[in-house]
Amino acid sequence: MVRLGAPPLLPAGQGRIEAIDLARGVAIALMILSHAVSGLLGIRQVPDWGMVPIHLLTKFSSSLFITVFGIALAVAFLPKTDAPDWPRRRLKLMLRGLEVLFWYKALTVVEMLPLYSAQDILDTLLYQRFPIWVEILGFYAIALLWLPWVLPLWRRLPLWARLVGPLAIALLSGWLERHFDFWGIEPLKAILVEDADHYAWGQLSRLPLVMVGLLIGEAVLCCYWQPAARRRLVLGLVGVGAALLLGFVAVSLPGLGEALVAVAWNVGKHPPELAFMLFSLGGALVILALCLLAGERGAAWLRPITTIGSDALMAFIFHIVVIFLILRFLFEAWQVYAYPQVLGIGLALILATAGWIALIGWIRERR
């Protein structure tokens, strides 16, 4: 029986859950498709039929990616926060954060190399400005440096506090973004709560998605290996996701068509606004539910997508290098191809990314 005043009772994990890899792989695949289009063609060149529905569907990616990040933290680390070896596991997470930070800086250079001056690149490396396509790595790098310190606190919180937490943090972040200037230091504001003049993922503004992921991860630990309980979890996620999508429709009427186009154009993505987040998180939860319903069998059927999700950092490195260093810089492929061709390149790149990760894994096994 679930008690609102009790901390979670979490069973030990029973191994890697490939359905989580599948959900993460879907998020990355949508991201690759979006990056291929915006990185090789540009959003302004996308025809109307490409913006809605194709490019619109990629807006599920960011919320799904960050939510799955929270789920993975809960499944892999939350049950062990009171174990004697927790300091070692915490250090492992922080070292992973430093690794992601290195690749964030390296890929920033790769992204900006085709079109920006050396001074612009240097300013970006020093947090005077922010990149676009690789900026989400900056969010993960910083998050992995401080979240391991608060996971034990989350584990001790009663259920009511864990349920209220995401909404409270979202409201606080929104208030700070609108009313506090962070002593005039725009990069600091962008890193913490986002700023309209900078393309950055705020630690506080996106923390509610991580917290939602932690809650779902707790449920996954308790329910995934029990078919009846997993079905109830899936139905719950579908219900919440559908409610959020209906909420998007409600706040968008009578101009629903215009609202869909606005979301496709990233209106309300940075800083996060209600309509965009209702759409993005609603779709993300429905996709997550379908992945959990598919389970290990579905992950096997969709092996290329699952493979991408099994090594998110490698997938990110590979597709950014191919798009920006190889195609855009070396082959000068900026706005060379029509939208259907760029779309085809994006789909091919998804498969190529899966193949590259599989090849690297095969090489590591042989070693």
Side-chain angles (χ1 to χ4, degrees), residues 75-154:
V75 171
F77 292 97
L78 202 57
K80 303 177 178 66
T81 53
D82 57 356
D85 66 344
W86 172 245
R88 179 181 62 83
R89 297 178 186 275
R90 181 178 61 208
L91 178 61
K92 179 181 178 181
L93 280 171
M94 295 176 68
L95 291 175
R96 180 66 167 177
L98 292 176
E99 180 186 5
V100 175
L101 182 63
F102 167 80
W103 283 110
Y104 164 58
K105 296 300 183 181
L107 293 177
T108 293
V109 176
V110 170
E111 174 192 319
M112 298 183 68
L113 192 61
L115 291 179
Y116 291 88
S117 68
Q119 186 60 51
D120 288 336
I121 295 174
L122 181 60
D123 288 344
T124 305
L125 293 176
L126 297 176
Y127 286 107
Q128 299 305 301
R129 56 192 297 174
F130 295 87
I132 297 176
W133 292 275
V134 306
E135 183 54 38
I136 197 167
L137 283 189
F139 168 83
Y140 281 110
I142 296 174
L144 284 170
L145 294 177
W146 69 269
L147 276 175
W149 296 93
V150 301
L151 283 180
L153 173 61
W154 175 270

Side-chain angles (χ1 to χ4, degrees), residues 203-223:
Q203 294 293 304
L204 282 179
S205 56
R206 306 296 165 167
L207 180 58
L209 293 178
V210 180
M211 298 167 79
V212 168
L214 288 170
L215 287 166
I216 296 172
E218 294 173 21
V220 169
L221 276 172
C222 297
C223 301

Side-chain angles (χ1 to χ4, degrees), residues 291-308:
C291 291
L292 292 175
L293 179 64
E296 309 305 291
R297 181 176 297 180
W301 288 344
L302 297 170
R303 180 55 57 187
I305 304 299
T306 306
T307 299
I308 290 174

Side-chain angles (χ1 to χ4, degrees), residues 2 35 41 61 77 126 150 226 242 270 329 332-333 335 348:
V2 178
H35 288 177
L41 184 65
S61 173
F77 292 97
L126 297 176
V150 301
Q226 304 173 40
H270 294 284
F329 182 66
E332 299 182 343
Q335 294 186 341

Side-chain angles (χ1 to χ4, degrees), residues 1-20:
M1 182 177 179
V2 178
R3 295 171 54 196
L4 289 176
L9 296 175
L10 301 177
Q14 301 184 37
R16 193 179 188 98
I17 298 177
E18 287 202 316
I20 297 176

Side-chain angles (χ1 to χ4, degrees), residues 137-333:
L137 283 189
F139 168 83
Y140 281 110
I142 296 174
L144 284 170
L145 294 177
W146 69 269
L147 276 175
W149 296 93
V150 301
L151 283 180
L153 173 61
W154 175 270
R155 174 78 184 274
R156 294 193 294 269
L157 289 175
L159 178 58
W160 70 264
R162 302 199 311 280
L163 291 172
V164 171
L167 179 59
I169 294 296
L171 292 174
L172 172 64
S173 174
W175 186 89
L176 289 172
E177 187 272 322
R178 290 189 297 271
H179 301 291
F180 187 59
D181 69 350
F182 290 86
W183 308 279
I185 307 174
E186 287 188 4
L188 178 62
K189 180 181 180 183
I191 289 171
L192 293 179
V193 298
E194 304 187 23
D195 184 273
D197 295 329
H198 298 278
Y199 192 98
W201 300 83
Q203 294 293 304
L204 282 179
S205 56
R206 306 296 165 167
L207 180 58
L209 293 178
V210 180
M211 298 167 79
V212 168
L214 288 170
L215 287 166
I216 296 172
E218 294 173 21
V220 169
L221 276 172
C222 297
C223 301
Y224 185 77
W225 302 108
Q226 304 173 40
R230 181 170 25 155
R231 285 194 294 271
R232 289 194 295 270
L233 174 60
V234 167
L235 288 174
L237 290 174
V238 169
V240 174
L244 292 175
L245 291 173
L246 288 174
F248 166 77
V249 172
V251 301
S252 301
L253 292 175
L256 180 59
E258 292 81 358
L260 290 172
V261 173
V263 169
W265 279 89
N266 291 328
V267 175
K269 186 175 183 180
H270 294 284
E273 296 178 3
L274 179 62
F276 185 95
M277 294 309 300
L278 286 172
F279 181 84
S280 180
L281 182 57
L285 292 180
V286 172
I287 293 172
L288 175 61
L290 293 176
C291 291
L292 292 175
L293 179 64
E296 309 305 291
R297 181 176 297 180
W301 288 344
L302 297 170
R303 180 55 57 187
I305 304 299
T306 306
T307 299
I308 290 174
S310 69
D311 195 340
L313 181 58
M314 181 62 69
F316 208 95
I317 294 169
F318 181 79
H319 90 270
I320 291 294
V321 168
V322 170
I323 291 172
F324 292 95
L325 184 61
I326 297 177
L327 294 176
R328 188 160 168 169
F329 182 66
L330 296 180
F331 286 90
E332 299 182 343

